[in-house]
Amino acid sequence: MTAKELRRLYLDFFTQHGHAQTPSSSLIPDNDPSVLFTTAGMHPLVPYLLGEKHPGGKRLCDCQKCLRTDDIDEVGDSCHLTFFEMLGNWSFGDYFKRESIVLSHEFLTKVLKIPQEKISISVFAGEGDIPADEESPAIWESLGYPKERIHAFGKKENFWSMAGAGPCGPDTEIFYDTGKEPCGADCSPACSCGKYIEIWNNVFLEYNRDSEGKVTPLAVKNVDTGLGLERVLCLLNNKETVFETELFAPVLEEISALSGQKYEDNKRTFRIISDHLRAAVFILGDDKAVAPSNVDQGYVLRRLIRRAYRYLSNLNAPDEATVSIAKKIVELYGEDYPELVRNSEFIYEKLEKETKAFRKALAHGLKKAEKFLANLPKGGTLSAEKAFKLYDTFGFPVEFTQELCAERGFGVDMEGFRELFAQHQAKSRQGAAQKFKGGLADSGEMTTKLHTATHLLGAALRRVLGEDVFQRGSNITPERLRFDFSFDRKMTPEEIAETEKIVNDAIAQKLPVNCSEMSVEEARVGGAIGVFGDRYGERVKIYTIEGISNEICGGPHVDNTGELGKFVIKKESASSAGVRRIKAVLE
Ligand code: SER
C-alpha cells in the first residue's frame, strides 16, 4: 500500500461515516506561545474542543502535518521521527467512546485488513482524582478482544493532555503486535522493547486543564484520535522500520548516491539525515516562510539543518547534498503538499545559504572551541559564556557544542547557557513585537495612507498576476511602502503599469474604507484574505474597500481612498527565491 492510498482510505472511510474532511493546518501555529509547532491533529482544533462551533459540523477528519522535537535525540532508531503525518478523526460533542472504538476497529480490521489477533489495547486504569475508564475495556471486549490483550495503565500511559493548558482526558491506545518474543515476564504495550508498536490513540477529551494544572469536566465530551501514518504504512508493507517505506527509501538512495556509502553500514546516520531534512523541508515549505534564525521555529530549523549537514559531512557527502536531498523530498511530497512546490525556490535557497553559513562558521568556530577546550582541566565543564559565544558568534547549536565536548569527556554548563539564551530570546522577541505591528514603523498620517495603499497594491497584484500571489512581508515608513509577495519571476513593465493603474483607479473612485470585527471563521466565509492559519476562536478586524479588497488587518487606515494621492511603484526586484519586492510611494 502506498502513503497516498492509506491517506485516501482513511479519509474516505471517515467521510463515509459523516465526517467533514478539513485540510492540514500550517505546521506553525498562530498565536500559541506555548508551542513552536503543531504537534498533533487536535492542536489547531482546540477552540472547537472547548465548545466553539466548527463550520464543518460535529465530525471532522484530516491528515495533519506535525512536528515534535522532544524526541530529537531518539531519531536514528527504528521509529522516532521529528516530522510526521497524523491521520485523525474528531467528534465535537457528537459520538463518544463506543462509536469511536468501533470506527477504529472497523477501519483497522475491515478496511486495512489487519488481523484482529495482531492488535493489543491499553486503557486508563484511573489515578488520583480521575476515575478508571471502565467503558472502553468493555467495548473492546464486546468486539472480541480478549481480556489478556487489554491492558490498563495510569496517567503516564493513558491520560492525554497538551503540553500547556487545554482539553485532556483518558485514552485508549491501539498497538500492533509485531510477533517478536516478549522481552520479559512483564512485557506489555507500555514497554519500549519494540514488540508492540503504538499505531492509534483515541482520546476521550472530557476535561479541561487550566494553566495552574487544575482539571475540570468539560460541558461537552469530545473524541480526538490520531493514527501515525508512517508507522501504519511500515507495518502494512511488512517493512522493518519506517525508513524502509516509500516515504524514505528514495531519500536514503539519494544519500547513498551522494556519499558513496551504504545505508546498511550507516543506518543511524542515514536516518538522522533523512528525518532532519524532511522536517526542514516541511518547515521551510510552509507558507509562513520561516527561515533559519536564532530564535523560536527558526532555531529548531537551524538545528535540524546543521545536524543533518554534520552527519552528511561524516559521510563525506558534498555540500550540495542538502539541496539535492531536499529536491527528492519535494518530489516525493509535492503532489500531496503543493505548498512545497509553491515554495520550493525558497526551500532550496535557504538550505543552501544555511549550509554555506554553517560550513564557514564550523571552520572558525572549531578553532575557537579547540582553544576553549585546551584550557579546561580533564573532565571539566565549559562555561555558559563560552558555550553562548560559540552559539551566538559561530552559530553552534548548543547541542552541537555538547556533543563536541562529550567526545572529549567535558561537560557544558547548560543551566547557565539556558539563562543566557532566555535573556537573548526575550530581547529578540521585543524587537520582533515592534516590527510586527502590521509592519508599521509608526502610525502617523503618511504611514496610515501608505498602509491603505498596501492593501490596494496587494489586491491589484492578485488581479494582474493571479490569485496565487499573497503577502510575504510588509514594511512601511513615512517615506515609502515595501511589500513582499510570492511570485517567481520579474514583473513586466506592462504588469507594473497595470498594477499602478488599478490602485490609482481605486483612489480616483474615492472609495470608503470600512472596518468591521468578526470571528476568523466569519472572515474566511466572507472571502477575506490574510493569514488565517489556526487563529480559530479569535475576533479579528477586517478592512474592506468595496469591490477591491477585503483583508484581515489590525489597521490603522484612512477613511477614504480619495485621501491617498498618486500611487507610484518605484522598484520591483527579487527579495528571496520565489518572493518579489515592490517599493512604492504616494506623491
Ligand atoms: N492528541 C492525541 C495524540 O497526539 C491523539 O491524536 O496522541
Side-chain angles (χ1 to χ4, degrees), residues 39-43 66 68 84 86-90 160-162 171 173 198 200-203 205 224-227:
T39 56
M42 57 84 76
H43 200 145
C66 298
R68 294 183 184 178
F84 62 100
M86 188 186 272
L87 293 161
N89 58 283
W90 292 270
W160 200 86
S161 51
M162 301 172 68
D171 64 36
E173 298 187 357
E198 184 200 329
W200 207 338
N201 187 7
N202 293 27
V203 190
L205 296 169
D224 153 43
T225 91
L227 176 80

